Amino acid sequence: MCRSIKTLREPFTPQVTDRDIEAAALQYVRKISGFRAPAAHNAAAFDAAVAAVAEATRTLLDQLVVRGAGAGTADRPVAAQGRG
């Protein structure tokens, strides 16, 4: 996969921002599509894919339960730990 996409869950990233999620989504869509920047006729599809991947990522991170992540955080969803 794309090496510039970092892991966005604890304990790898204690605080995940929307910017982190959107950057990862953009890198993923660039890798899959083969385009760094799409041509004008593909821009809408490219942007929609980035938005969909970002939303899927938010959903995933909101639903993950990280066990043994640290004192007071075990068995709490990642979102409850301050993603914002």
Side-chain angles (χ1 to χ4, degrees):
M1 216 6 239
C2 191
R3 293 182 184 166
S4 63
I5 298 175
K6 66 180 183 175
T7 301
L8 296 181
R9 70 162 180 84
E10 282 198 8
F12 302 100
T13 305
Q15 187 99 29
V16 179
T17 66
D18 282 339
R19 185 175 178 185
D20 294 328
I21 291 171
E22 289 164 14
L26 178 61
Q27 288 299 319
Y28 177 80
V29 172
R30 284 177 173 170
K31 184 69 167 186
I32 297 303
S33 69
F35 296 119
R36 175 150 171 58
H41 63 277
N42 287 324
F46 190 91
D47 292 344
V50 172
V53 171
E55 186 56 33
T57 301
R58 283 184 191 91
T59 299
L60 173 64
L61 293 176
D62 286 347
Q63 294 177 3
L64 285 177
V65 175
V66 180
R67 295 181 181 197
T73 61
D75 298 328
R76 285 180 26 207
V78 172
Q81 299 172 27
R83 184 184 67 76

